[in-house]
Amino acid sequence: LGVGGLLLYWLRSGRKIKTIDMGDGWWGSGERPLKGKEDASIRPFKIETSDKEIEDLHRRLDQFRFTPHVEGAAFHYGFNSSYLQKVVAYWRNQFDWHKQVEELNKYPHFHTTIEGIDIHFIHVKPPYVPHGRAVKPLLMVHGWPGSFYEFYKIIPLLTEPAKHGLSEGDVVFEVICPSIPGYGFSEAPHQKEFDSIATARIFHKLMNRLGFKEYYLQGGDWGSRITTNMAQMLPQSVKGLHLNLVFIASQSLGKLIRIMLGAYVPWLVGLSREDVRRFYPFVQKNIYDVLRESGYLHIQATKPDTAGCGLNDSPVGLAAYILEKFSTWTDKSFLHKDDGGLESKYSLDELLTNVMIYWVTSSIVSSMRYYKENFSKDPHLNAHNRVGVYVPTGIAAFPQEIVHVPRVWAKDVYKNIITYSYMPRGGHFAAFEEPRLLAQDIMQFVQKVEQ
């Protein structure tokens, strides 16, 4: 046994960790220039608006054509049209976009050109660093239908933890939040096949351009896949990876057996009581609920431009399409509420500001295309699962997330899980809904990694 153990250790230690090839790309218009280096400058950027932009929005809102819903519909048919009337009335008469632009500009915004397209990001440094505290760079990546704005509540908690009662440990962050290309103020790719691998490479280049050699990553939704790919691509640059959603989509006979046994003898297959509570009944929670919430995905993964052109032309349609996700993805029970439970977790100003980021940039179509580019190459979103993630990993499992992935399953891909937290409340948009809970989990994870 001793000799065998030593031999196994020697074989494993001598084996190089498999990584994703970084490659290269060009996403600008036309052919890649043969000569001349890319402009690597980092340019300050400011969000602006105009009376003309707001007048156009108001004109379109005034022309809203109301569609009556069936009695007792709540959110079972999608966005409740009676509640939509209230949202539109608030948007038209009370929402102040000028004020929200000021709010968006409170953090420093920048543009830089990478692989032929302009990448937008905010970069927030701590205003004060106590003696002995280490400042850690943290890249936070959003998903769909969110934006960099999702992180506005959590940024002060991470950059000024002591001010907000989060002074445990010796960690302070400087936070970088980019917009995925094709989302918000990042330029849309002009070429086909722009996927999460290309995004991961661009964000590595961004961090390198900002002067960072090592950094922490955090993501949910597409941000989870992008940051996972970053860890698989250049593990030597990633000090730690924190996720609030895990993609483990592979199906196998072994997994099916584990699912069946888990309902009766969970301890035998490594499931905790909390896993069982969140995971079963399996068919209801992992098939019916997922099918109900994923119709948009099939459209966006096949022919995004068809539905997208309608959303890009109608602010009301855009708001209904986006805000419906902020209802049921925040809490599944909100399906039964006439107002979708939206204002119990967010303000209309917050929700409409996120919608406006898509509206003023005309980016809904290019954001939807991201599904086609990823799913056309990898229909089950598991091609990269064959490349293990060996960097220190923290997982925050929120109870209202669309799918629950037990730690024992996550270990199939994430080989070095340092923390796995069953969060007490919250859903898909963790940073937007429960910023304090997420900030605490990130800080505890980083403290363990640093120790």
Side-chain angles (χ1 to χ4, degrees):
L1 281 172
V3 171
L6 287 170
L7 181 62
L8 184 63
Y9 176 80
W10 177 76
L11 286 170
R12 291 192 67 178
S13 62
R15 204 170 55 187
K16 189 179 178 183
I17 292 174
K18 188 178 179 183
T19 59
I20 291 175
D21 181 41
M22 190 163 182
D24 200 7
W26 169 259
W27 311 103
S29 183
E31 295 290 324
R32 187 174 201 158
L34 295 175
K35 292 182 180 180
K37 287 187 176 181
E38 190 164 67
D39 177 11
S41 65
I42 294 169
R43 307 176 294 277
F45 171 74
K46 193 172 182 179
I47 299 171
E48 295 178 340
T49 187
S50 66
D51 291 339
K52 184 178 178 182
E53 183 175 71
I54 295 170
E55 286 167 9
D56 176 67
L57 171 68
H58 286 175
R59 177 182 60 80
R60 293 167 187 264
L61 293 177
D62 287 338
Q63 293 174 351
F64 167 42
R65 293 201 302 172
F66 173 69
T67 304
H69 58 78
V70 296
E71 293 181 12
F75 262 58
H76 288 277
Y77 287 71
F79 206 102
N80 183 286
S81 56
S82 290
Y83 180 62
L84 185 59
Q85 282 185 308
K86 178 188 173 183
V87 173
V88 172
Y90 182 88
W91 198 359
R92 173 63 177 86
N93 301 312
Q94 293 172 263
F95 179 76
D96 187 342
W97 178 230
H98 283 290
K99 180 182 175 183
Q100 295 308 118
V101 165
E102 285 182 24
E103 170 70 11
L104 290 172
N105 282 327
K106 75 177 182 181
Y107 294 130
H109 293 248
F110 301 92
H111 266 158
T112 190
T113 306
I114 304 176
E115 298 188 5
I117 52 176
D118 282 349
I119 305 300
H120 162 261
F121 64 98
I122 57 174
H123 186 180
V124 188
K125 298 179 181 180
Y128 169 72
V129 181
H131 180 72
R133 292 282 175 93
V135 179
K136 303 297 178 185
L138 173 66
L139 180 82
M140 304 188 78
V141 185
H142 66 89
W144 187 92
S147 64
F148 67 93
Y149 178 60
E150 283 181 73
F151 302 116
Y152 268 50
K153 297 177 191 174
I154 199 172
I155 286 172
L157 306 181
L158 296 171
T159 56
E160 302 178 84
K163 184 179 176 182
H164 297 89
L166 296 172
S167 55
E168 303 170 18
D170 299 317
V171 178
V172 178
F173 295 96
E174 60 177 296
V175 180
I176 301 93
C177 301
S179 295
I180 298 170
Y183 288 69
F185 299 99
S186 276
E187 186 178 355
H190 298 268
Q191 311 295 331
K192 293 189 292 185
E193 301 186 357
F194 183 86
D195 60 4
S196 62
I197 297 292
T199 315
R201 181 178 63 244
I202 282 176
F203 287 172
H204 270 308
K205 289 181 178 181
L206 170 63
M207 294 301 278
N208 187 254
R209 191 170 289 183
L210 291 171
F212 300 117
K213 301 301 178 197
E214 288 186 320
Y215 31 89
Y216 286 91
L217 306 175
Q218 202 287 324
D221 197 86
W222 281 123
S224 168
R225 184 169 168 89
I226 292 163
T227 53
T228 294
N229 289 162
M230 290 177 75
Q232 294 165 318
M233 187 179 284
L234 289 178
Q236 67 273 22
S237 295
V238 180
K239 289 201 74 177
L241 170 68
H242 187 279
L243 307 171
N244 56 280
L245 173 66
V246 175
F247 288 101
I248 304 287
S250 59
Q251 302 300 322
S252 64
L253 179 60
K255 185 163 283 187
L256 182 61
I257 292 170
R258 282 193 282 174
I259 290 168
M260 293 170 66
L261 289 174
Y264 303 101
V265 281
W267 51 268
L268 192 64
V269 291
L271 298 183
S272 69
R273 286 182 179 180
E274 185 62 21
D275 288 327
V276 172
R277 195 179 71 80
R278 297 186 183 192
F279 204 58
Y280 296 97
F282 179 80
V283 172
Q284 177 65 48
K285 292 188 176 181
N286 297 275
I287 298 178
Y288 291 159
D289 287 356
V290 172
L291 282 173
R292 185 190 67 221
E293 295 299 329
S294 58
Y296 80 99
L297 187 150
H298 192 79
I299 292 169
Q300 295 177 191
T302 52
K303 297 184 178 181
D305 287 30
T306 304
C309 66
L311 300 176
N312 194 49
D313 191 59
S314 167
V316 178
L318 180 68
Y321 195 72
I322 288 177
L323 296 186
E324 182 238 304
K325 305 308 177 194
F326 281 87
S327 169
T328 47
W329 291 4
T330 295
D331 190 316
K332 298 175 185 70
S333 70
F334 288 173
L335 196 71
H336 310 297
K337 294 179 177 288
D338 289 339
D339 63 355
L342 283 166
E343 291 178 76
S344 64
K345 294 288 186 176
Y346 317 101
S347 71
L348 285 180
D349 280 343
E350 291 168 349
L351 293 168
L352 289 170
T353 296
N354 183 66
V355 172
M356 285 294 287
I357 289 169
Y358 283 87
W359 177 255
V360 300
T361 58
S362 293
S363 60
I364 187 61
V365 178
S366 51
S367 75
M368 291 164 70
R369 284 181 194 144
Y370 200 64
Y371 284 76
K372 182 172 179 64
E373 305 297 17
N374 280 284
F375 279 93
S376 61
K377 291 182 182 179
D378 182 11
H380 300 291
L381 285 190
N382 64 3
H384 308 140
N385 289 355
R386 291 188 286 271
V387 180
V389 176
Y390 292 90
V391 306
T393 303
I395 297 171
F398 284 84
Q400 290 294 332
E401 185 55 89
I402 301 165
V403 290
H404 174 67
V405 176
R407 180 176 186 147
V408 68
W409 287 19
K411 283 166 63 178
D412 291 346
V413 175
Y414 301 92
K415 310 296 185 181
N416 187 12
I417 297 175
I418 304 295
T419 62
Y420 182 101
S421 308
Y422 295 102
M423 307 305 281
R425 62 186 179 276
H428 186 73
F429 303 98
F432 205 40
E433 181 195 353
E434 295 289 350
R436 192 173 185 86
L437 284 179
L438 185 61
Q440 287 173 327
D441 202 71
I442 293 168
M443 294 180 78
Q444 288 166 6
F445 162 68
V446 171
Q447 286 161 16
K448 284 195 174 182
V449 175
E450 292 296 317
Q451 288 165 6

